[in-house]
């Protein structure tokens, strides 16, 4: 099923990474700058992430002896240092997820660069090192993002959905390892309901969400794939959902042959097997397009509408 399977370490059948994007209330200020302070229920729902869910999640990881990746908007690190400490105390990885969850593809290139570097400084301040990895807020990777990641020395990106296994992104000046996921492994479609954000969908039960996650995991295990959950503490870290995820982790352990890793570890494994010649990844040259396609007529490129 996978044309060019990657050899995972120690003969593992698949690689698994639970990644949490701890957006907290950054997304509320971004969407409702002038009124966010007055939306107290929404603030409480989002603050549940750093204050209740993150301690719960790291506790579970400790029980299973797992080290994982957290993508933290830098503003959230400044606001919720205790959650950052809890993540760092157990050796989890902190990845770059914007400053205030701003959307790169709604900004000019220079503004993107400015926000990227502002966040790098904050991460460096907290962790003592530059981040190795990046995930664009709301997957809003722009046609300039790869250039900026290469320029800033990032090792990997985890924003795209172009394969079942890692691949390389090349801009002509350098490469970044792409560690792809998919909406099927995102908790937002299952659980996000909020009047303040305009999501009034009927939510799934934990069992329904886990059924999909587990189907994706079983396929990754069978065919040698990469399984990356894109979850949010304020959604998946709630009581019933997290209890169901603990059972999913037990299912994964029960099957065996699973490499639980941080994205940094997966990315450095990719670099290693490429360097020693044991695996040749496919490479995407970006950007796919630098302006609107000509077949529909000449128009000025625009930023994605907010
Ligand atoms: Zn996010």
């Amino acid at each position: 099923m996978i044309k060019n399977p990657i050899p995972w370490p120690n003969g593992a059948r698949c690689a698994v990474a639970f990644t949490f994007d701890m957006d907290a209330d950054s997304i509320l200020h971004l969407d409702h700058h002038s009124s966010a302070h007055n939306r107290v229920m929404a603030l409480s729902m989002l603050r549940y992430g750093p204050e209740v869910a993150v301690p719960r999640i790291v506790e579970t990881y400790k029980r299973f002896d797992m080290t994982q990746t957290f993508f933290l908007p830098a503003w959230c690190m400044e606001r919720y240092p205790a959650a950052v400490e809890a993540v760092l105390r157990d050796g989890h990885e902190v990845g770059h997820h914007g400053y205030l969850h701003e959307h790169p593809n709604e900004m000019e290139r220079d503004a993107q660069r400015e926000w990227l570097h502002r966040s790098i400084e904050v991460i460096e301040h907290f962790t003592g090192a530059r981040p190795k990895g990046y995930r664009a807020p709301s997957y809003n990777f722009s046609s300039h993002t790869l250039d900026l990641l290469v320029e800033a020395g990032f090792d990997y990106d985890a924003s795209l959905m172009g394969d079942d296994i890692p691949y390389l992104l090349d801009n002509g000046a350098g490469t970044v390892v792409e560690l792809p996921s998919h909406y099927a492994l995102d908790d937002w479609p299952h659980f996000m309901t909020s009047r303040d954000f305009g999501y009034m969908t009927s939510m799934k039960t934990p069992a329904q969400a886990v059924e999909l996650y587990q189907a994706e995991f079983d396929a990754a295990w069978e065919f040698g794939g990469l399984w990356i959950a894109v979850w949010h503490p304020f959604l998946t870290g709630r009581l019933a959902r997290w209890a169901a995820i603990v059972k999913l982790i037990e299912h994964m352990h029960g099957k065996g042959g699973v490499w639980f890793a941080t994205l940094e570890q997966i990315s450095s494994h990719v670099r290693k097997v490429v360097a020693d010649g044991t695996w040749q990844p496919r490479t995407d040259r970006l950007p796919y397009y630098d302006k609107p396609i000509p077949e529909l007529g000449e128009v000025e490129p625009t930023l994605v509408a907010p």
Side-chain angles (χ1 to χ4, degrees), residues 103-108 112 138-143 301-306:
H103 299 166
N105 59 7
E106 294 167 13
M107 288 187 282
E108 301 291 352
Q112 288 180 49
S138 305
Y139 305 108
N140 282 328
F141 195 101
S142 80
S143 56
T302 55
L303 301 173
V304 174

Side-chain angles (χ1 to χ4, degrees), residues 210-249:
V210 167
E211 187 184 354
L212 179 52
Y213 301 151
Q214 191 168 315
E216 291 288 333
F217 165 75
D218 289 340
W221 190 88
E222 189 174 350
F223 302 114
L226 170 64
W227 186 100
I228 300 178
V230 182
W231 293 342
H232 303 81
F234 82 95
L235 293 175
T236 290
R238 298 217 63 122
L239 216 46
R241 296 165 186 169
W242 193 241
I245 295 303
V246 169
K247 291 208 174 74
L248 175 65
I249 299 173

Side-chain angles (χ1 to χ4, degrees), residues 21 23 97 101 137-138 232:
D21 299 356
D23 299 336
H97 195 46
H101 214 267
S138 305
H232 303 81

Side-chain angles (χ1 to χ4, degrees), residues 2 4-9 13-17 155-158 160-169 176-181 220 223-228 259 262-271 273-274 279-284:
I2 293 176
N4 179 30
I6 176 171
W8 295 117
R13 306 275 312 222
C14 62
V16 161
D155 194 54
Y156 74 84
D157 171 74
L160 305 184
M161 303 191 181
D163 212 325
D164 307 301
I165 53 172
Y167 58 106
L168 294 183
L169 304 178
V176 161
V177 174
E178 178 56 36
L179 301 176
S181 188
F223 302 114
L226 170 64
W227 186 100
I228 300 178
W259 183 38
T262 62
L263 296 190
E264 182 179 0
Q265 289 167 334
I266 296 173
S267 172
S268 66
H269 172 71
V270 172
R271 296 283 189 194
V273 291
V274 170
W279 186 62
Q280 191 59 46
R282 69 164 252 251
T283 301
D284 268 10

